[in-house]
Amino acid sequence: MAHVHQINISNGGVPKLPISTGKVDADGMVGDDQNDKKHHGGPRQTLCLYSLDVIQSLQEEGHPIEPGFAGENITLAGVDWPTIRSGDRFKAGQDLIIEITDPATPCSKNAGWFLDGNFRRMSHTAHPGFSRWYAIVINPGEIAAGDAVEKLTA
């Protein structure tokens, strides 16, 4: 079953650290910030999502990445990550509804989590199905680790 594995925030930069519950409003995860607002955040990048399943695949390749390290606000488990597309909507917890916007461009700040610093390993263009995704908030809400995640659109 698809679910929220981990919720992550930071005062800026990576890694983002886990919290047990989080409030998401129209601006994103409350309490989270980005150091580089030129390239991160903004109207189409309200939340950053990543997959526990993808992280585990990367770990099997030898990359020392962990949930939250890539700067994602929400680490999801059990979502068919390679099938995600812009426009897909997901519900998490009681009220939160988000819409996928764009794959996240790999950031050099993530080089430390990849063998030989190859942070482009999570490039959507070079390695489809391994990128983080940005989302916007359709309906605000609170989420907790373990909350069910439901895909609302195909």
Side-chain angles (χ1 to χ4, degrees), residues 89-150:
R89 287 188 177 192
F90 291 89
K91 181 178 181 182
Q94 294 289 321
D95 301 309
L96 179 64
I97 298 175
I98 61 172
E99 183 176 305
I100 302 297
T101 56
D102 303 297
T105 302
C107 177
S108 62
K109 301 292 184 191
N110 287 303
W113 327 131
F114 291 90
L115 296 174
D116 300 323
N118 185 15
F119 62 93
R120 297 197 188 285
R121 180 63 185 87
M122 60 182 179
S123 163
H124 182 68
T125 304
H127 303 279
F130 281 83
S131 66
R132 299 163 298 154
W133 282 92
Y134 286 122
I136 58 172
V137 177
I138 301 300
N139 192 66
E142 293 188 18
I143 57 172
D147 279 352
V149 172
E150 174 187 1

Side-chain angles (χ1 to χ4, degrees), residues 37-109:
K37 289 187 172 61
K38 178 179 178 184
H39 296 104
H40 303 289
R44 291 186 55 84
Q45 300 177 358
T46 307
L47 291 171
C48 185
L49 313 172
Y50 210 21
S51 164
L52 177 65
D53 307 294
V54 170
I55 291 169
Q56 290 172 335
S57 291
L58 291 169
Q59 289 171 338
E60 289 171 9
E61 294 176 9
H63 302 289
I65 189 169
E66 296 287 339
F69 280 25
E72 77 272 16
N73 299 115
I74 304 172
T75 311
L76 300 173
V79 173
D80 188 1
W81 207 251
T83 67
I84 290 181
R85 300 290 179 263
S86 297
D88 286 348
R89 287 188 177 192
F90 291 89
K91 181 178 181 182
Q94 294 289 321
D95 301 309
L96 179 64
I97 298 175
I98 61 172
E99 183 176 305
I100 302 297
T101 56
D102 303 297
T105 302
C107 177
S108 62
K109 301 292 184 191

